[in-house]
Amino acid sequence: MPRFSPRKCRYFAIAALIATLGGGAGAGAQEGPQHGIAMYGEPALPQDFVSLPYANPDAPQGGRFVFAEVGSFDSLNPFILRGSAPWGVNLLTVQSLLGRSYDEPFTLYAVLAESVETDSARSFVEFTLREGARFSDGSPVTLEDVIWSFETMGTEGHPRYRNAWTKIESMERVGERSLRFTFTEPDRELPLILGLRPIVQRAQFDVSAGGRPFADSSLEPVIGSGPYRVSTVDPGRSVTFTRVEDWWAEDLPFYAGQHNAQEIRYEYYSDLAVAFEGFKAGLISVWREPNAARWNDSYDFPAMNDGRMRQVEIPHQRPSGMSGLWFNTRRAPFDDWRVREALLLAFDFERINTLVTGGAEPRIASYFGNSVLGMRPGAAEGRVADLLAPFADDLAPGALSGEVLPDSDGRNARRNRRTALRLLAEAGWQPDAQGQIRNAEGAPLAFEILLLQGQSEIQSSVAAYVEDLRRLGIEARMNVIDSAQYVQRTNAYDFDMTHSLRLMSLSPGNEQYLYWGAEGVEQPGTRNLAGVHDPAVEAMIGAMLTAQSDEDFTAAVRALDRVLMAGRYAIPLWFSPVSRMAIDANLHFPETLPIYGDWTGFLPETWWYQE
């Protein structure tokens, strides 16, 4: 498949959109400042709502939550490319102008801002800063802090912030507390993305006044306006967040029943098994169990038996996402879809799934599976087929027919291996007299599978896969490294194959460019691990971002799903349609569950401690 420049790929996206979407049903927008904004239609909650539907306004405050993380950290700035920071920093200490409701696909409500305004074309967005907002050190949040945060994140921050910044034609102050952004191109999601940008204190990074450079990794906490502040840090081992006294936003309806814990602590462990022992000993408050087999046979220990801990299953309606072994298509031979297909066929899913999870979990069948956004079985039809038609000649096999994932029933393993060998031969790889797969120059088919330390379940899966590959005549080597090395190597795309989990939401948007956009082929630090470089992918993302109705949006996501699956960028593993958690018996959560289950926005935000 030919490769195009990022600019030409973006051109194809707009051209395909114009050719296929036409007008579409208008999404509508109320005029004037509003209390919230939805991707489509209007926010579900009225102006005078008293709390989010999945929060308990009467929840008691106090207590301590302790979470386990595997790996380490060497920075407290999660907004830059350098270093590895605990994700709790952004979640707990920093606020954005708008806050997300996790009971709606993509709806935001005013928090740090008191209102948001846009037009039906979403050609601009205007935020009005709420009076009385303060940083954790007591200083006021000013419009200058907001302006500085947007500009600095967009120019010096992590690459995930830069795509939106390039779409801003102007950023201007239009009143004492109001800021207006005018956009360079159609993008219905852009007002929401900007509403979620983190706002930090400008003075902390004012080098002329003795502040530190924003782009430098540091263990000095970032000053935000969120409900918590970093209170203690043991570098690489633990970080503790303490609730800000007299937090300025505690009486906002959006936060009623949220942020109830007095203290939240993240303990870092070198391995999942060690972390689980810490949980069994009562050192950890919550344990997310990824393995269905372990869920059924590994919870017979004193704290569980005497009631100090309990098991809960929380259903969710979020997409499966893609947990898999990702090919780096920047490197040969993974730039050939036939080689990727052969290695996909060589993965005996049924056997490995039974070995690792007891066979209890279903295989991931698409990037947006388990949701209305996932590709439908069979051939592409209707709007989906129309969107894919301009690219039909260049699409990988299976995109239009829907036949991508091989039947991995154990009875078909031998047939799959034969098909794999045929595909390898077509790609120029043949077995020698000893059965070793080699190319025309005699070089063996050999590669490294890079894994993050502590992922014992993934390591077991890969170890079994390596044996299957060896029997096929392919030499694969598993290399397990610590988190600092892993971040460094994956940011530089210095790997052959690696495991990663790509989570998906019910309202995918601009982040898809970060995952699959052509600019990520060479730009370090994006999440395009696979090196996806496909005009059809860019076009489907463009169609998503400019869709004027739910129907057009859903069709574009399903079309994107087909193109990604047909690209064979990952070997899919498994997912769970429920979240399995073992928790301290003193932890409680509301009866009403958000559609995203236990995702951010539910745990730890709306949980509480009560003996």
Side-chain angles (χ1 to χ4, degrees):
M1 181 181 296
R3 295 210 165 197
F4 300 91
S5 70
R7 287 185 179 272
K8 186 162 285 190
C9 284
R10 198 64 48 84
Y11 167 79
F12 279 129
I14 300 301
L17 176 67
I18 293 173
T20 58
L21 285 183
Q30 295 182 5
E31 297 296 329
Q34 302 295 321
H35 71 294
I37 181 173
M39 185 66 183
Y40 294 101
E42 302 298 332
L45 302 180
Q47 174 85 37
D48 59 351
F49 76 92
V50 296
S51 70
L52 296 176
Y54 55 91
N56 175 13
D58 299 320
Q61 294 190 346
R64 182 188 191 200
F65 297 178
V66 183
F67 297 102
E69 296 287 338
V70 174
S72 184
F73 66 93
D74 56 10
S75 172
L76 288 178
N77 186 349
F79 310 117
I80 58 175
L81 186 58
R82 296 177 183 172
S84 178
W87 73 280
V89 172
N90 192 14
L91 173 68
L92 301 173
T93 70
V94 177
Q95 280 185 300
S96 50
L97 294 170
L98 307 179
R100 185 167 190 170
S101 168
Y102 283 86
D103 201 42
E104 301 174 59
F106 198 9
T107 297
L108 308 180
Y109 294 93
V111 286
L112 194 54
E114 68 179 21
S115 67
V116 55
E117 180 179 359
T118 187
D119 58 359
S120 59
R122 301 263 171 108
S123 64
F124 78 93
V125 67
E126 184 174 313
F127 302 102
T128 298
L129 188 62
R130 194 181 295 273
E131 288 190 283
R134 300 191 305 275
F135 289 112
S136 59
D137 65 355
S139 63
V141 179
T142 68
L143 210 56
E144 285 71 27
D145 292 305
V146 177
I147 293 170
W148 182 89
S149 295
F150 273 103
E151 183 172 7
T152 304
M153 297 284 178
T155 56
E156 299 181 49
H158 193 281
R160 63 178 174 268
Y161 300 122
R162 296 178 188 174
N163 181 53
W165 181 250
T166 63
K167 297 182 180 181
I168 295 173
E169 181 177 281
S170 65
M171 176 176 63
E172 56 183 332
R173 185 171 186 156
V174 292
E176 183 180 351
R177 291 181 290 113
S178 297
L179 186 64
R180 173 176 286 227
F181 297 87
T182 303
F183 307 137
T184 61
E185 60 186 82
D187 186 338
R188 290 197 55 77
E189 191 188 35
L190 201 50
L192 289 86
I193 289 177
L194 297 184
L196 289 176
R197 281 289 179 264
I199 305 301
V200 298
Q201 188 187 66
R202 175 186 180 184
Q204 184 181 20
F205 302 100
D206 186 352
V207 178
S208 64
R212 62 184 175 91
F214 175 78
D216 287 356
S217 176
S218 172
L219 285 170
E220 177 187 349
V222 173
I223 297 175
S225 61
Y228 294 87
R229 59 179 178 82
V230 175
S231 53
T232 58
V233 180
D234 185 354
R237 296 182 177 180
S238 70
V239 56
T240 302
F241 302 89
T242 302
R243 202 171 194 275
V244 174
E245 187 175 356
D246 296 324
W247 179 44
W248 74 272
E250 61 186 351
D251 293 328
L252 291 181
F254 183 87
Y255 290 118
Q258 293 203 68
H259 306 303
N260 303 304
Q262 176 61 27
E263 184 178 285
I264 297 177
R265 181 180 179 90
Y266 292 88
E267 292 279 358
Y268 281 76
Y269 292 85
S270 60
D271 185 86
L272 271 175
V274 178
F276 186 59
E277 291 304 314
F279 169 72
K280 289 167 61 176
L283 302 177
I284 306 299
S285 305
V286 177
W287 181 262
R288 285 185 172 93
E289 180 52 70
N291 188 292
R294 245 191 342 257
W295 182 249
N296 293 322
D297 62 21
S298 299
Y299 284 79
D300 183 16
F301 53 88
M304 191 66 67
N305 295 333
D306 64 20
R308 284 176 289 157
M309 297 178 182
R310 58 193 175 102
Q311 291 175 279
V312 296
E313 292 189 1
I314 299 177
H316 64 79
Q317 302 170 51
R318 63 180 182 264
S320 62
M322 180 57 71
S323 173
L325 302 177
W326 295 80
F327 300 101
N328 186 354
T329 65
R330 302 170 184 82
R331 295 183 174 182
F334 299 143
D335 56 347
D336 189 323
W337 76 268
R338 295 169 298 185
V339 174
R340 302 197 297 272
E341 172 73 352
L343 295 178
L344 178 58
L345 285 161
F347 189 88
D348 190 347
F349 175 80
E350 294 294 335
R351 183 180 70 84
I352 294 175
N353 188 28
T354 300
L355 174 69
V356 178
T357 76
E361 305 286 36
R363 190 172 200 180
I364 295 172
S366 79
Y367 289 74
F368 296 91
N370 195 50
S371 79
V372 69
L373 300 178
M375 58 180 281
R376 305 292 94 173
E381 298 177 339
R383 207 65 161 155
V384 174
D386 292 341
L387 283 165
L388 295 175
F391 307 93
D393 292 342
D394 295 318
L395 291 173
L400 294 175
S401 68
E403 298 175 359
V404 177
L405 201 60
D407 186 348
S408 57
D409 189 312
R411 295 169 296 182
N412 297 319
R414 186 173 298 177
R415 184 189 67 188
N416 288 345
R417 285 195 291 270
R418 288 198 301 268
T419 306
L421 287 171
R422 176 178 59 79
L423 285 167
L424 289 171
E426 291 177 7
W429 296 88
Q430 298 273 7
D432 62 14
Q434 288 74 42
Q436 177 78 44
I437 303 294
R438 297 180 181 274
N439 62 14
E441 289 73 37
L445 180 49
F447 59 90
E448 176 189 76
I449 304 176
L450 188 70
L451 297 180
L452 178 64
Q453 189 177 51
Q455 296 180 311
S456 55
E457 180 177 302
I458 302 302
Q459 291 174 31
S460 298
S461 304
V462 170
Y465 182 43
V466 166
E467 288 303 313
D468 287 341
L469 292 173
R470 185 169 293 120
R471 283 192 287 270
L472 197 63
I474 299 171
E475 289 299 321
R477 180 176 65 89
M478 180 169 57
N479 184 14
V480 181
I481 60 178
D482 62 37
S483 59
Q485 295 179 75
Y486 184 82
V487 169
Q488 182 179 23
R489 287 192 59 177
T490 53
N491 276 344
Y493 314 125
D494 179 19
F495 66 92
D496 298 321
M497 177 186 284
T498 190
H499 171 266
S500 184
L501 169 61
R502 178 66 65 238
L503 293 172
M504 296 294 179
S505 78
L506 290 168
S507 184
N510 275 277
E511 81 285 348
Q512 300 297 310
Y513 280 131
L514 191 67
Y515 299 164
W516 328 114
E519 293 176 1
V521 174
E522 296 183 358
Q523 181 183 358
T526 73
R527 297 179 187 176
N528 188 356
L529 290 180
V532 178
H533 194 285
D534 187 343
V537 168
E538 298 259 343
M540 298 312 109
I541 299 174
M544 286 164 42
L545 295 178
T546 49
Q548 296 294 304
S549 69
D550 285 330
E551 293 76 14
D552 284 341
F553 175 78
T554 299
V557 180
R558 290 177 178 175
L560 173 65
D561 202 4
R562 283 176 173 269
V563 177
L564 292 174
M565 285 299 296
R568 282 94 168 162
Y569 298 112
I571 299 174
L573 299 180
W574 42 79
F575 80 102
S576 175
V578 298
S579 296
R580 303 179 183 91
M581 288 189 288
I583 63 175
D584 186 308
N586 294 319
L587 293 188
H588 306 271
F589 54 88
E591 292 183 4
T592 301
L593 302 176
I595 59 176
Y596 283 102
D598 73 320
W599 247 16
T600 299
F602 179 58
L603 173 66
E605 292 93 316
T606 62
W607 289 46
W608 66 88
Y609 183 93
Q610 187 173 35
E611 297 182 358

